Amino acid sequence: MANTKWVYDFGGGASDGDASMKNLLGGKGANLAEMASLGLPVPPGFTITTALCTAYYDLGRKYPEELDAQLETSLKTLEAKAGKEFGSATNPLLVSVRSGARASMPGMMDTVLNLGLNDTTAEGLAQLSGDRRFAYDSYRRFIQMYSNVVLNITHDVFEDILEDFKDLQGYELDTDMQAEDWQEVIVKYKAAVVTHNNGKPFPEDPKDQLWGAIGAVFGSWMNDRAIFYRKHNDIPASWGTAVNVQSMVFGNMGDTSATGVAFTRDPGTGENLFYGEYLINAQGEDVVAGIRTPAPISKARAAEMGSDDAPLEVTMPDVYKQLTDVADKLEKHYRDMQDIEFTVEEGKLYMLQTRNGKRTAQAALAMAVEMCKEGLITENEAVLRLEPAQLDQLLHPMIDQDAKAAATAEGRVFVKGLPASPGAAIGKIVFDSDEAADAAAKGEDVILIRIETSPEDIHGMHASKAIVTARGGMTSHAAVVARGMGRPCVCGAGSLRINKELGEVSVAGETLKRGDIVTVDGATGEVFKGRVAMIEPDLSGDFAHIMEWADKARTLSVRTNAETPADVEVAKNFGAEGIGLCRTEHMFFDADRIPVVRAMILASSEKGRKEALEKLLPMQRSDFEAIFRIMGDKPCNIRLLDPPLHEFMPHSDEEMADVAKGSGVSIEVLTHRASELHESNPMLGHRGCRLGVTYPEIYEMQARAIFEAAVNVAKETGVAPVPEVMIPLVATKAEVALMKARIVKMAEAVLPKSDIKIDYLVGTMIELPRAALRAADIAQEAEFFSFGTNDLTQTTLGISRDDAARFLGDYEKQGIYEKDPFVTLDIEGVGELVQMGTERGRSVKPDLKIGICGEHGGDPASIAFCHKLGMSYVSCSPYRVPVARLAAAHAALKA
Ligand code: ADP
Ligand code: MG
Ligand code: MG
């Protein structure tokens, strides 16, 4: 460690780092260095690396020895660049201390501005700037921010003092405060610090302040909010955060100063329109905090929003022009939409941050396609710009325009705010994040309504279907976080009056209560009373382009798990290239079938079973016909009956009586039979091919139904279906051999000799560890494998999925399993079996068709693994099909 460079300088002519060093310098630090090197106006500073954060925790929250000297050197360099001195009474250097992880974590880590101020340097700043009010305004901001971030004293302590002071003076606004007023308030602030900080005074020494702030940034890496955000965004704790120390520029020096944020394109829709917000005479956090609602930057945007506030384009046209030039330069340089932060100090523009902007799925899609058409990026890059998980949002409903017009005519618009994050949702009103989380845990759809949100609300926002806030602009915390999460969001609905205690929210005398249903349209900013109908999304246009490019890039085929004609149809429209799993038992639950199924199960003789099966045969056949008709010449994998029979058992006396009546057997006999069938561990009991072993007639009936259906549809449509008959829960080659012989015999009996040729396969699920281990044997009989990773996970981990809820959460929390292994494949363990099964199977049959049909077939990380193994296909639920297509393309392009 002795030779490690922990501190990297940037700006003022020379930078040690660049944009490629995000892992070490964090996103913010790397991009500050890069912007400085591009010749953009960046206040100079230095970055303490993410490696130091890791070292700090490794050393038990202590810094490596060499840091001190390196920091001193960089501070000296910074003083020279800035032409100011840290702690000087006449020419003080002030800095901001900013966190910055590899991946941007908005609002997670806390920034301290104006650091270096104390009674002496504040007076120095006053003299130097010739603006006492500005100097003491900066000072009081610093005390509050530092106390909050570093000393954990809540903002309201300071806000209360300020409000009381203003009341006493008869002031309305903060801007009524004069320098002397601020000085008085500062004395009160400091007294409050002593009270709330165990009697310790506010640190006067700028060096102490600096170390305190640095420690707070590193400390915040492990706070609950950061941990929560990382968990939900798959960011490992080991990455660490960097700390940026940067000389201050001031947006609060009067009416020629300002601060703002901008996006080079619209992050909500993707439209190529410069877009942003700013506040005159303000400092950084003012914009994000949503306390004052900022004005739009451009005339076009102001007009679109119907805003009366003068845009930057009007108030500071030169700065605006410069800013748009910078935006163009940055976008061309990074070849992506940029999210930028800037400050104007007395007419001079400074860049404080740039990063690839977060965007809604809709915007990501529109931008990727447009940038590709502009020639800025290639088709493959466009494909990579859209996160598979994000795609989900585009596949979900939006508000139906006719229903909306009707609702509007009925006067059901409750409030209109800013369209902060598109998409629509219906749910019950809640006013509190904990309440939202609780309700969501019970399976309720809730809409979170807040005055504004803060990082403490992340879990509540996550739990809600949509978020509505009274305050804050398009770049407020709520807006940014909601877009990142893909939650519809309406911000700045200023006419909302929220009374959390009473559980009420009202607009112009109209009141809704906690639990009332509302519909939120994040695309327009409207909130409706009651439900408004939604429609399915549009899958043409940009969506079709990206999917076409993704299909070109991927090698994995994508199928679907579906059995009802409606689901099969949806999946086909979403691009499914076959059925990877048709669960025949799902077809048995229909009201008109279940009594027959029950009669079959409860029959105590083969004869009784056969009678029932005779009745089921035409039903199954017509099911398969419907599927074959939709799927045409695409392969259809049909799994023979799998679940424990008890799942079909009558539960109530009434149901029992029905079965008795239907099958002409007495209730007593039936009850006795039911108790015979009881199993203590049905998941490992009489199910899967074990049913086929003991009741051959069941599988024979199903095989017959499949082949007869194939022949019928081939005759009817002229297109021969491609059935794949799948045997579940196999452990041995002998099981496959036995089942297969019967299936083939049935095929030979049913399929015509000449005119129509049906190509069918008989294969097996691999869902028991033994099957994966003995895959080479099994492949001698099986014509395909499909990894049933739900059961394979259960049986490998020895965890029953139905009972896992009680403890799996704790396992995840304590990092025993990084993720829920039923959602993302446990690649180390279960994955090793999948790999082994694939390799061993193909060692016997090199072309063996291999797929996956567990939940994991729709999970992007698991899909990447399947791609790596060279599987033939993945199969997932219908709505996941596009996600899987895109994930398969990502896997191929990143390989
Ligand atoms: P976040 O990661 O939450 O966006 P930042 O570190 O970017 O936090 O800081 C928030 C805001 O503080 C910035 O957008 C900027 O307006 C202001 N800020 C940070 N550093 C400086 C600085 N050196 N001079 C002026 N303003 C600053
Ligand atoms: Mg912050
Ligand atoms: Mg920032």
Side-chain angles (χ1 to χ4, degrees), residues 28 96 98 111 113 246-249 284-285 341 352-353:
K28 202 178 283 169
S96 62
R98 320 169 63 188
T111 298
L113 302 179
Q246 185 176 28
S247 71
M248 283 298 300
V249 287
E285 293 287 305
E341 299 178 5
L352 292 171
Q353 191 168 338

Side-chain angles (χ1 to χ4, degrees), residues 363-373 377 382-383 385 546 549:
L365 177 64
M367 270 181 223
V369 173
E370 190 170 352
M371 286 183 187
C372 182
K373 288 184 177 159
I377 58 175
V383 168
R385 289 289 164 88
I546 284 277
W549 299 338

